[in-house]
Amino acid sequence: MTSVASFFFGLVVALSCLALQLASAADPSLLQDFCVADFTSSVLLNGMACKNPSTVTANDFYFQGLHMAGNTSNAQGSRVTPVFASQLPGLNTLGISMVRIDYAAGGQNPPHTHPRATEILTVLEGSLEVGFVTSNPNNNHFTKTLYKGDVFVFPSNTIHYQRNTNWNAPAVAIAALSSQNPGAITIANAVFGSQPGISADILAKSFSLDVAIVNFMQSKF
């Protein structure tokens, strides 16, 4: 195993262990060893129905591909590659998931929140400016520049972001989250791109903007 592969594997193991400690804060506790997701079931649950244990194989606990860079050719210059229960059925009910995040030079993962999870992130390559904002009324902004091997945690439900501080080279991070399905609400998309849209009058008053500017912002989404 190469040094790069060893580093990557070690980070995955460490982050998984850390996130397992946080799992009880989000998803319910297990009542059995596992509940591999049955993607063919029509039963509606808070999560996914269990596959018949007699049909479970090692492949149900396996995901391949996190070594591959995501396509960052988009407006934000980033790509999130998720490993949730919907990609790795063995994660169902285990209260943990992970993502790989690729950033183009100067790219960002814009302000967003995970309604069901705390996130712990480590930088694999490059450097990132990261931060999160606390709830009302203080709205404190905690920010830090991270380098290869550095770790930062984003508390559950807080608005947070990452930006590649290098305009000449890409960056890569991996993160663990304390839910099999953490969800994501990108602030700009939710506010200006909701369907149906929020009244421009409401947004104009909320952001102290002219209605014309709000209409322009909504047209971008």
Side-chain angles (χ1 to χ4, degrees):
M1 184 179 291
T2 67
S3 60
V4 173
S6 298
F7 178 70
F8 185 85
F9 178 76
L11 285 172
V12 170
V13 172
L15 286 172
S16 297
C17 291
L18 286 170
L20 279 171
Q21 300 301 313
L22 299 170
S24 61
D27 295 343
S29 299
L30 285 170
L31 297 177
Q32 54 204 29
D33 287 341
F34 56 78
C35 172
V36 172
D38 182 359
F39 297 142
T40 66
S41 175
S42 60
V43 177
L44 300 179
L45 299 171
N46 182 22
M48 299 180 184
C50 298
K51 187 176 182 179
N52 187 330
S54 66
T55 65
V56 171
T57 69
N59 283 336
D60 290 314
F61 303 94
Y62 172 77
F63 177 88
Q64 185 179 36
L66 275 192
H67 65 291
M68 299 174 60
N71 183 1
T72 58
S73 298
N74 54 63
Q76 298 298 328
S78 67
R79 177 69 62 185
V80 176
T81 302
V83 186
F84 300 159
S86 51
Q87 287 81 35
L88 179 54
L91 283 177
N92 191 41
T93 74
L94 296 185
I96 188 173
S97 60
M98 65 189 306
V99 297
R100 170 183 170 135
I101 313 172
D102 289 275
Y103 311 83
Q108 67 174 12
N109 190 11
H112 62 283
T113 181
H114 300 296
R116 295 179 290 276
T118 292
E119 175 181 350
I120 185 168
L121 175 144
T122 191
V123 178
L124 297 183
E125 297 292 342
S127 59
L128 296 174
E129 174 191 349
V130 304
F132 69 88
V133 179
T134 63
S135 57
N136 299 342
N138 294 327
N139 300 130
N140 293 322
H141 180 205
F142 294 91
T143 183
K144 187 80 173 175
T145 298
L146 306 181
Y147 300 93
K148 184 175 180 177
D150 289 349
V151 177
F152 197 83
V153 65
F154 304 105
S156 181
N157 292 309
T158 58
I159 296 173
H160 59 283
Y161 63 89
Q162 306 102 37
R163 180 177 66 169
N164 184 359
T165 59
N166 191 330
W167 290 84
N168 298 306
V172 183
I174 193 166
L177 300 107
S178 60
S179 172
Q180 68 179 50
N181 182 25
I185 301 172
T186 303
I187 306 307
N189 296 50
V191 172
F192 295 106
S194 64
Q195 296 295 329
I198 300 173
S199 168
D201 291 335
I202 293 174
L203 294 180
K205 188 171 184 178
S206 299
F207 288 94
S208 298
L209 296 173
D210 292 332
V211 171
I213 295 176
V214 172
N215 288 331
F216 173 77
M217 293 295 295
Q218 289 178 319
S219 72
K220 294 296 183 179
F221 294 89

